[in-house]
């Protein structure tokens, strides 16, 4: 290698992308190999002309090979690649022709063209591995060379050699797919899927165990593990340059990991998401680093700590990156159709759902933690753990209200020293209710967001992370927190300041008769499909503490409500007796029979005058005048007709009366009846 070649920047040439775009644009979308071969020949002439490597003139041919030492720019690699593609397209065209005619000469010609494609592929791999190209370009060239060789051995019916080359090409492509963008992922897996028929049939002909039932991915992984990793000497003998290929692949993976993060533990998160007992693979090293940082931030945080805000910020970055990667995957999948590209879209959706659940779990944990702390301050009658501590001791507020009622008045009005404490308790109680409203709102938003993501997620990815169980668990949590909110709202209504024990009793009864059974049914249904063993990750632990609801949690809420109902019932009875006493005092002071000053005016009884003589003695002669009907006066109010515009031509107006009312003489009114009818009517209706 010359000194000039070491000084220049490494050549980057997207071999997989160039092959895919050329094939799909120039004929192979319709399986037209002849058109694609013509394109390769025409493009090859243009590239050679631009690189000044034309092979003679129109009359003289002088062959010019592109060697590894000559490679200085991407056009040199493009020449070798076009030579291989031109020979391959000719071979595929001959294979179609041979399938119709079965002439041996066409098969011999097919094999010769495949040998020419393999030779050009070997030259391409040697040029890319000479040190002038970057690591990814070199490995893509090796994968392409192995793919050409696998097709040659497949036509020669050398099944073991074909399987060796196809499997190693798959391994290289799959590793490259995980180290690039969504486009690189889709391109690499498109190359992998092109080798699936060779792997399946070659494994069957090589009498590999389970070849008829297993998928190509499983067959390739089994062959690579048993015939290559465990038998390196055999692999080096079967595939020239096997050791150099694996060393270059390991170096590229190590370089990608070191450039993404200096922490070696990032390998545990690289290209895979472990969540809810499942694993989802994706193709973004940046996203892997963000997930690892977010998990670490959440691991160090506790409820009510400011570190939760830092963890929420980290998960927001994860969600944003996952959304961007998903958009890129959609674009790549639209151009490069493969099963793996569709699975990649679903994987990024799973990461979005993961970050969404983490963000809402953090918000729920913060609100529920604040409510628990307030409830602990307000009363310490019973100490509880876990979610039962969320059912705070609002019995203390209710007992204060009951004490105030027994004293015969409001605690606030009678005891000036206790006014501040009651008001403060009321403010804290209102905060508890508001905090649980925030919890329910977060759960509702989480359920809507999860449903939106699940509509677009593939069933296989959803089953891997048990995504559909999230909706059931959130619904059960929403019903449970609704019961908790109803409990605290009832305590607030029963407080001395509000003084609405009947409303409090109605809330408790509704929560006990409707909310608790519904929450219990949802929690039971969610527990049937729940993940048996969640991972020990921070996100799973937070989800278990903040969202997952068990039957014991609901039983604790039910017992708390049942203990509060008798207390509120006594408050209702005390309030009813107090209202009855007040009513009796008001009715006794307004009795006009005992108070002559309030006696109404007495008038003759008209019924006694019209009744028969036999019944006159039984009727009073005078009765109180409760309503004065004679004083009522009715005044005529003029109303404009509803359909005046339609009926005006058929109405005969009394113009004399109209003139008198308007303050004009009858002569003037009659004289201007035809010309000033509109103005008179307008003054009549418009006057006040």
């Amino acid at each position: 290698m010359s000194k000039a070649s070491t000084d220049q920047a490494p050549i980057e040439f997207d071999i997989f992308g160039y092959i895919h775009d050329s094939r799909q644009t120039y004929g192979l979308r319709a399986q037209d190999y002849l058109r694609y071969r013509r394109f390769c020949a025409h493009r090859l002439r243009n590239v050679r002309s631009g690189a000044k490597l034309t092979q003679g003139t129109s009359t003289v041919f002088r062959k010019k090979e592109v060697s590894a030492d000559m490679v200085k720019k991407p056009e040199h690699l493009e020449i070798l690649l076009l030579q291989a593609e031109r020979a391959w397209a000719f071979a595929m065209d001959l294979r179609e022709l041979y399938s119709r005619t079965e002439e041996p000469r066409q098969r011999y010609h097919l094999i010769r063209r495949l040998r020419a494609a393999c030779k050009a592929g070997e030259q391409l791999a040697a040029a890319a591995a000479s040190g002038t190209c970057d690591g990814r370009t070199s490995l893509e060239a090796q994968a392409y060379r192995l793919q050409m060789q696998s097709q040659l051995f497949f036509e020669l019916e050398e099944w073991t050699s074909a399987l060796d080359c196809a499997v190693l090409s798959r391994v290289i492509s799959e590793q490259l797919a995980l180290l690039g963008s969504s486009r690189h992922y889709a391109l690499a897996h498109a190359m992998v899927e092109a080798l699936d028929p060779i792997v399946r049939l070659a494994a069957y002909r090589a009498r590999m165990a389970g070849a008829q039932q297993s998928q190509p991915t499983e067959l390739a992984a089994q062959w690579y593990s048993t015939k290559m990793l465990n038998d390196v000497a055999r692999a080096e003998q079967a595939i020239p340059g096997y050791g150099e290929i694996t060393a270059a692949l390991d170096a590229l993976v190590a370089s990608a990991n070191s450039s993404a993060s200096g922490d070696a533990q990032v390998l545990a998160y690289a290209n895979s998401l472990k969540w809810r007992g499942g694993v989802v693979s994706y193709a973004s090293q940046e996203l892997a680093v963000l997930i690892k940082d977010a998990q670490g931030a959440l691991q160090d945080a506790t409820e009510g700590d400011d570190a939760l805000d830092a963890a929420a910020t980290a998960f927001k970055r994860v969600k944003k990156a996952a959304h961007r990667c998903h958009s890129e995957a959609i674009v790549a999948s639209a151009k490069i159709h493969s099963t793996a590209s569709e699975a990649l879209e679903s994987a990024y959706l799973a990461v979005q759902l993961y970050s969404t659940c983490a963000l809402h779990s953090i918000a729920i944990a913060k609100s529920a933690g604040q409510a628990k702390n307030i409830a602990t301050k307000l009363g310490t009658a019973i100490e509880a753990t876990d979610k039962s501590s969320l059912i705070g001791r609002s019995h203390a507020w209710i007992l204060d209200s009951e004490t105030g009622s027994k004293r015969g008045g409001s605690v606030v009005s009678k005891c000036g020293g206790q006014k501040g404490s009651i008001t403060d308790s009321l403010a804290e109680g209102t905060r508890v209710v508001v905090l649980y409203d925030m919890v329910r709102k977060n759960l509702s938003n989480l359920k809507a967001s999860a449903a939106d993501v699940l509509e677009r997620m593939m069933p296989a990815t959803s089953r891997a992370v048990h995504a559909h169980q999230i909706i059931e668990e959130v619904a059960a949590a929403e019903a449970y927190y609704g019961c908790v909110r109803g409990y605290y709202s009832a305590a607030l209504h029963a407080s001395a300041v509000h003084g609405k024990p009947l409303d409090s009793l109605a809330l408790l009864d509704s929560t006990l008769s409707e909310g608790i059974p519904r929450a219990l049914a949802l929690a039971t249904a969610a527990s049937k499909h729940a993940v048996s063993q969640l991972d020990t990750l921070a996100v799973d632990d937070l989800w278990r503490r903040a969202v997952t609801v068990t039957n014991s949690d609901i039983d604790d809420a039910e017992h708390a409500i049942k203990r509060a109902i008798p207390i509120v019932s006594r408050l209702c009875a005390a309030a009813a007796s107090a209202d009855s006493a007040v009513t009796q005092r008001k009715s006794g002071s307004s009795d006009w029979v005992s108070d002559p000053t309030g006696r109404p005016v007495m008038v003759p009884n008209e019924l006694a005058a019209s009744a028969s003589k036999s019944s006159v003695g039984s009727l009073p002669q005078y009765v109180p005048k409760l309503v004065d009907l004679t004083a009522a006066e009715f005044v005529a109010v003029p109303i404009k007709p509803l359909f005046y515009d339609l009926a005006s031509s058929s109405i005969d107006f009394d113009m004399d009366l109209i003139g008198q009312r308007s303050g004009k003489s009858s002569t003037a009114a009659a004289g201007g009846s035809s010309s000033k009818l509109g103005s008179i009517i307008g003054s009549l209706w418009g006057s006040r």
Side-chain angles (χ1 to χ4, degrees):
M1 189 186 308
S2 62
K3 184 177 183 299
S5 63
T6 59
D7 293 340
Q8 66 180 1
I11 298 174
E12 296 182 3
F13 186 60
D14 188 7
I15 296 177
F16 288 172
Y18 186 89
I19 292 172
H20 180 271
D21 295 342
S22 300
R23 290 181 179 181
Q24 295 299 315
T25 306
Y26 299 102
L28 290 198
R29 189 184 297 272
Q31 300 299 312
D32 189 353
Y33 293 100
L34 178 59
R35 180 190 171 194
Y36 182 60
R37 179 161 62 95
R38 289 174 177 172
F39 159 74
C40 292
H42 181 72
R43 177 64 182 169
L44 182 58
R45 286 194 300 269
N46 292 338
V47 175
R48 279 187 174 274
S49 176
K52 297 181 180 180
L53 291 173
T54 55
Q55 303 187 108
T57 61
S58 60
T59 57
V60 180
F61 177 78
R62 294 184 180 88
K63 188 175 182 179
K64 292 184 180 180
E65 295 285 353
V66 179
S67 62
D69 297 335
M70 295 173 57
V71 176
K72 298 293 190 300
K73 51 187 178 181
E75 285 77 8
H76 296 150
L77 297 178
E78 187 179 359
I79 290 173
L80 297 173
L81 182 59
L82 287 171
Q83 288 178 353
E85 284 291 288
R86 182 181 61 179
W88 173 82
F90 198 0
M92 295 299 103
D93 195 13
L94 290 171
R95 188 173 66 176
E96 285 190 353
L97 185 61
Y98 174 73
S99 64
R100 294 193 299 266
T101 62
E102 296 185 357
E103 292 185 6
R105 291 178 301 176
Q106 294 171 355
R107 175 174 171 76
Y108 298 151
H109 196 185
L110 159 66
I111 293 174
R112 287 197 301 269
R113 287 294 87 200
L114 283 178
R115 290 186 189 278
C118 290
K119 180 181 177 181
E122 291 174 356
Q123 292 176 348
L124 175 64
S130 62
T132 57
C133 301
D134 63 336
R136 186 179 188 90
T137 303
S138 176
L139 288 172
E140 286 184 356
Q142 293 289 353
Y144 178 74
R145 188 258 301 186
L146 291 170
Q147 185 178 10
M148 293 293 106
Q149 290 181 349
S150 67
Q151 293 192 10
L152 174 61
F153 291 132
F154 185 82
E155 293 295 335
L156 294 174
E157 297 183 359
E158 297 179 8
W159 310 117
T160 303
S161 299
L163 195 56
D164 286 334
C165 294
V167 167
L168 187 56
S169 179
R170 283 180 60 103
V171 170
I172 296 173
S173 299
E174 288 174 350
Q175 288 293 330
L176 291 175
L178 298 177
L179 298 176
S181 62
S182 300
R183 173 178 168 79
H184 291 146
Y185 185 92
L187 288 170
H189 278 279
M191 299 292 288
V192 167
E193 290 183 1
L195 294 170
D196 285 347
I198 296 178
V199 172
R200 185 186 292 274
L201 185 56
Y204 174 74
R205 292 299 181 89
R207 299 184 181 278
M208 185 177 176
Q212 290 182 325
Q213 295 83 14
S214 302
Q215 296 295 325
T217 303
E218 301 173 358
L219 295 173
Q222 182 181 353
W223 185 270
Y224 182 69
S225 176
T226 57
K227 300 296 183 179
M228 294 184 179
L229 291 180
N230 297 334
D231 195 354
V232 179
R234 177 200 167 277
E236 290 180 348
Q237 185 179 1
I239 302 175
Y242 172 78
E244 290 78 2
I245 293 174
T246 55
L249 188 60
D250 294 340
L252 181 64
V253 173
S255 175
N257 290 329
S258 61
S259 62
S261 175
D263 191 356
Q265 294 181 356
V266 75
L267 296 175
Y269 295 87
N271 309 117
S272 63
L273 171 66
K274 296 181 180 180
W275 182 45
R276 296 180 61 82
V279 179
V280 176
S281 299
Y282 50 88
S284 175
Q285 194 76 7
E286 176 192 0
L287 189 59
V289 175
L290 291 176
I291 291 176
K292 182 235 174 208
D293 294 340
Q295 285 277 11
L298 187 60
Q299 191 74 35
D300 301 334
T302 57
E303 291 184 9
D305 191 7
D306 293 338
L308 280 177
D309 296 332
T313 303
F315 277 105
K316 287 179 181 178
R317 288 196 292 266
V318 172
K319 186 176 182 180
K320 185 177 180 180
H323 181 74
R324 185 183 68 253
C325 292
H326 179 253
S327 302
E328 295 175 357
I330 291 176
V331 175
S333 178
K335 296 180 179 179
I336 308 162
H337 298 284
S338 64
T339 306
S341 60
E342 296 177 359
L344 184 62
E345 295 181 35
S346 187
Y348 287 130
L349 287 175
V351 177
Q352 289 186 38
L353 182 60
Y354 161 81
S355 58
T356 300
C357 290
L359 287 171
H360 284 87
S361 297
I362 291 172
I364 291 169
K366 289 180 62 177
S367 299
Q370 293 177 11
K372 180 180 65 176
N373 295 334
I374 295 173
T376 304
K377 293 178 182 178
L378 291 177
T380 57
I382 297 177
E383 294 187 4
T385 58
D386 295 335
K387 288 189 180 62
S388 59
S389 61
L390 299 179
I391 300 292
R393 305 319 316 145
S394 57
H395 296 326
W397 318 340
I398 299 174
L399 290 174
D400 288 341
S401 301
E402 188 178 16
T403 304
S405 299
K406 289 179 180 179
R407 291 174 182 173
S410 172
V411 179
V412 178
S413 60
K414 286 185 173 290
C415 306
Q418 295 183 1
K419 180 176 180 179
S421 61
I422 294 295
T423 306
D424 294 342
S425 299
L426 182 62
E428 296 292 341
T430 306
R431 282 192 61 198
V432 171
V433 176
V434 171
L435 286 170
Y436 282 118
D437 282 335
M438 294 171 61
V439 170
R440 295 176 64 197
K441 183 178 180 181
N442 276 292
L443 288 169
S444 179
N445 294 338
L446 174 58
K447 185 165 63 174
S449 301
D452 179 63
V453 172
L454 288 175
E455 288 180 358
R456 298 175 287 161
M457 188 181 296
M458 292 180 63
T461 307
S462 176
R463 288 192 298 268
V465 296
H466 304 85
H468 281 85
Q469 282 72 35
I470 293 176
I471 302 295
E472 297 179 356
E473 295 177 11
V474 171
E478 190 175 6
Y480 167 76
Y481 282 110
C483 295
V484 176
R485 192 263 182 197
Y487 173 82
Y488 281 107
S489 181
L492 201 59
H493 280 78
S495 61
V497 176
H498 279 282
K500 297 180 179 179
L502 286 176
D503 295 343
S504 175
L505 187 62
L507 281 172
L508 291 174
D509 181 70
S510 175
T511 304
L512 185 63
S513 60
E514 298 178 7
I516 293 294
R518 181 173 178 270
L520 189 60
L522 291 173
T524 304
S527 63
K528 293 180 180 179
H529 306 95
V531 184
S532 58
Q533 184 66 34
L534 291 176
D535 295 331
T536 57
L537 298 176
V539 173
D540 291 330
D541 183 62
L542 180 62
W543 180 270
R544 187 187 301 108
R545 288 185 287 109
V547 179
T548 303
V549 175
T550 61
N551 292 344
S552 60
D553 299 329
I554 300 174
D555 291 339
D556 293 338
E558 183 179 6
H559 294 330
I561 293 172
K562 287 182 178 180
R563 290 194 300 268
I565 285 179
I567 301 175
V568 179
S569 299
R570 291 196 296 270
L571 286 176
C572 293
S577 61
D579 292 341
S580 177
V582 172
T583 303
Q584 289 180 1
R585 288 195 302 269
K586 289 182 178 180
S587 61
S589 61
S590 61
D591 188 5
W592 58 270
V593 176
S594 58
D595 186 9
T597 59
R599 184 185 299 275
V601 178
M602 306 298 291
V603 295
N605 190 359
E606 296 181 358
L607 292 178
S610 60
S612 59
K613 294 182 179 180
S614 59
S615 60
V616 169
S618 60
L619 295 176
Q621 297 296 321
Y622 293 92
V623 294
K625 185 178 182 181
L626 302 179
V627 179
D628 190 4
L629 296 178
T630 59
E633 296 182 358
F634 298 95
V635 180
V637 178
I639 301 176
K640 185 177 181 179
L642 182 62
F643 300 101
Y644 172 74
D645 294 336
L646 300 177
S648 59
S649 59
S650 302
I651 299 176
D652 294 332
F653 296 98
D654 189 352
M655 304 309 298
D656 295 336
L657 182 59
I658 291 174
Q660 294 177 3
R661 290 187 177 181
S662 61
K664 299 180 180 181
S665 62
S666 59
T667 304
S673 60
S674 59
S675 59
K676 299 182 180 180
L677 177 61
S679 60
I680 295 174
I681 300 300
S683 62
L684 176 63
W685 302 124
S687 60
R688 296 183 180 179

